Amino acid sequence: MRVLPSGSSALLVEVDDLDEVLGLYAALTEEPIDGVVDVVPAARTVLLVVDRARTTLGAVAQAVRETRPRPDRAGHGDRVELPVVYDGADLADVADHLGVEPEEVVRRHTGTEWTVAFCGFAPGFGYCTPDGEPWHVPRRESPRTRVPAGAVALAGEFAGVYPRESPGGWQLIGRTDVAVFDLAREPAALLRPGVRVRFVEAG
Amino acid sequence: MNRCLTVLSTGPLTTVQDAGRPGQGALGIGRSGACDRAAAALANRLVGNDPDAAVLEATLGGLALRAGADLLVATTGARCPGSPAHNAPHRLAAGAELRLGLPATGLRTYLAVRGGIAVEPVLGSRATDLLSGLGPPALSAGDVLPVGEATGPLPGVDLAPVPDPAGGEVTVRLLPGPRADWFAEDAAAVLTGTGWTVTGESNRIGLRLDGPPLERVRTGELASEGMVRGALQVPPSGLPVLFLADAPVTGGYPVIGYVDDADVDRCGQLCPGQTVRFRGAG
């Protein structure tokens, strides 16, 4: 764990891998450090935003160094099931890239549990990482200017669901009718860090 | 009498702002809120509001309003001709109009009204986040803005003696960022030795700065990581972006340094063409 400076009101904690991010985020939300007002996980880091009226960067740095990441990702978080119609425009390309049939992509995508590691790109866009072997799917060479809300997609080591229509470079493999970000719902974001996700083939 | 303000014109951009949506970064939701937080809080205090109440943030003046009832207002930040109430509370009679001209210095003017702008909050805030699209849309002529009921006591203040935002060259304090080691050894000296020009592509998300490109020594991709306002991020062009209120929650280019949070408000008042200098701490 490396604690890197981020100006006067934040610290960036860098760890070795995504599992450690998940474990550290779980630990920091279960037992919050006093004076830390936001905890933002990402692929290899966790950002801690500090209220300097309540604590100091030094005290937070020491507290995070003494924090033990939780070891078991499956033990935390709510569970969400997302029905998916696997008719994405890039399903065949993804299958080619992985050297399998499209049905096998669907079987693998539905055959594992995923964990939301972090959010980014847009409100409620959760980066989901699989249990077991990581996937490696390149981004599209040229991003689409318009990806519809509910598109289920893959890029790099992650799966995600577009919370609203936006541009995007991920490979589209299917779509879900579930609104993953809905301002009328509390909480608005369905795919929050730590949430366990299962994709199921819609009938 | 309707406690409301009717928007007659908006200037280049007027939005509703408050203290934003802190604490929701893990959901991909940025903080947003007023670009010059101190000015917005002062405007609120002058009319007896909670400092985090919703205000209007006008960009380069041009905002014109008509009061639907007797209202107490105050403007702060960039001083616009036409404001009778700059850094001071002012009673705007029912039917009276307030028209902000072009400020001589500074970019953003805050208008607070006693009771606060009472549009519907979104995720705990009335702030318009231009990056994520959360919050109310930017104002348009013809909008009718509801005004809340006054709660707190009125302050016994006639005038807050605060300086106007500076024109010309502005110096701010620079603090270490997480990825300084991605840059050439002399990059820090270039960063602090240059007067950086604020370009016209700047907005509430960030200031795009022009100057000598900062040389990177580490190539390859950085996994996106969290950041807050004040971050100086360096994209492949080598020209830094100084993030402001509507900064993204995470970014994939290295952050070489941070402007001290206490100085970011002043950066939110910089106009295109102005020069910003970074002074290292110690």
Side-chain angles (χ1 to χ4, degrees):
Chain A
M1 181 188 293
R2 287 207 303 153
V3 180
L4 304 172
S6 281
S8 51
S9 59
L11 293 170
L12 189 68
V13 185
E14 187 173 51
V15 296
D16 289 336
D17 56 31
L18 199 55
D19 273 329
E20 203 176 342
V21 169
L22 281 162
L24 184 60
Y25 178 75
L28 292 171
T29 46
E30 282 165 28
E31 289 175 57
I33 297 173
D34 188 42
V36 171
V37 291
D38 207 359
V39 180
V40 187
R44 293 293 178 271
T45 55
V46 178
L47 181 80
L48 305 179
V49 184
V50 173
D51 178 357
R52 287 179 304 156
R54 288 166 51 194
T55 187
T56 64
L57 291 176
V60 172
Q62 188 178 344
V64 74
R65 284 195 186 95
E66 289 165 3
T67 301
R68 301 284 292 273
R70 298 283 187 273
D72 175 21
R73 67 156 74 171
H76 319 280
D78 299 336
R79 281 165 196 276
V80 168
E81 199 170 272
L82 292 177
V84 177
V85 178
Y86 285 94
D87 60 358
D90 302 323
L91 182 60
D93 282 355
V94 170
D96 278 352
H97 177 78
L98 297 174
V100 298
E101 293 299 311
E103 295 73 26
E104 176 65 10
V105 175
V106 175
R107 197 191 65 75
R108 291 185 191 175
H109 196 248
T110 55
T112 185
E113 268 202 8
W114 301 72
T115 303
V116 180
F118 56 92
C119 290
F121 173 62
F125 190 106
Y127 287 68
C128 303
T129 174
D131 288 357
E133 280 302 296
W135 295 49
H136 292 289
V137 175
R139 284 165 188 266
R140 284 175 53 83
E141 275 182 24
S142 91
R144 289 186 170 85
T145 53
R146 186 187 157 276
V147 174
V152 177
L154 300 169
E157 51 186 317
F158 300 108
V161 181
Y162 281 79
R164 60 174 185 203
E165 186 185 310
S166 65
W170 290 35
Q171 309 269 7
L172 309 185
I173 60 168
R175 59 194 156 87
T176 181
D177 287 338
V178 176
V180 293
F181 191 73
D182 180 357
L183 288 171
R185 185 180 56 208
E186 172 60 37
L190 199 60
L191 304 183
R192 304 175 300 280
V195 167
R196 303 275 291 166
V197 184
R198 193 170 270 282
F199 298 98
V200 295
E201 192 162 11
Chain B
M1 281 303 198
N2 243 340
R3 283 184 67 78
C4 68
L5 285 164
T6 299
V7 179
L8 305 175
S9 66
T10 64
L13 172 72
T14 300
T15 56
V16 179
Q17 296 298 335
D18 56 17
R21 303 179 181 82
Q24 302 183 56
L27 307 181
I29 296 165
R31 170 150 176 188
S32 187
C35 266
D36 182 344
R37 291 180 190 165
L42 175 64
N44 276 319
R45 280 199 295 272
L46 286 168
V47 296
N49 288 346
D50 183 283
D52 294 343
V55 299
L56 300 183
E57 181 184 276
T59 315
L60 269 181
L63 173 67
L65 301 165
R66 186 169 56 233
D70 287 359
L71 297 171
L72 190 71
V73 300
T75 63
T76 59
R79 180 187 295 270
C80 296
S83 170
H86 201 70
N87 294 337
H90 172 80
R91 194 179 142 273
L92 199 60
E97 294 181 3
L98 183 152
R99 289 180 180 274
L100 300 182
L102 192 67
T105 61
L107 181 61
R108 297 187 167 93
T109 304
Y110 294 88
L111 183 136
V113 55
R114 184 158 166 79
I117 303 291
V119 296
E120 273 302 302
V122 174
L123 299 173
S125 162
R126 297 176 169 90
T128 296
D129 183 338
L130 293 179
L131 182 67
S132 72
L134 292 175
L139 298 193
S140 303
D143 287 351
V144 177
L145 303 169
V147 173
E149 291 299 325
T151 50
L154 267 179
V157 178
D158 295 331
L159 183 70
V162 294
D164 287 342
E169 187 172 291
V170 168
T171 300
V172 296
R173 284 164 292 185
L174 184 71
L175 298 168
R179 303 297 172 191
D181 60 346
W182 281 53
F183 295 88
E185 246 174 67
D186 70 342
V190 174
L191 192 56
T192 53
T194 300
W196 297 88
T197 305
V198 177
T199 73
E201 292 140 274
S202 303
N203 53 29
R204 279 182 45 82
I205 299 166
L207 300 179
R208 288 182 179 274
L209 304 177
D210 197 17
L214 299 170
E215 192 195 338
R216 240 169 88 166
V217 289
R218 267 188 78 169
T219 50
E221 260 187 62
L222 178 73
S224 286
E225 55 195 23
M227 59 182 183
V228 292
R229 73 170 197 163
L232 266 173
Q233 192 197 56
V234 185
S237 68
L239 299 178
V241 177
L242 168 49
F243 280 111
L244 299 177
D246 288 352
V249 179
T250 58
Y253 298 125
V255 170
I256 189 171
Y258 265 88
V259 171
D260 191 317
D261 196 60
D263 288 351
V264 178
D265 282 352
R266 290 198 289 135
C267 298
Q269 291 292 359
L270 292 172
C271 294
Q274 277 191 268
T275 304
V276 60
R277 282 188 178 273
F278 303 110
R279 192 181 75 225

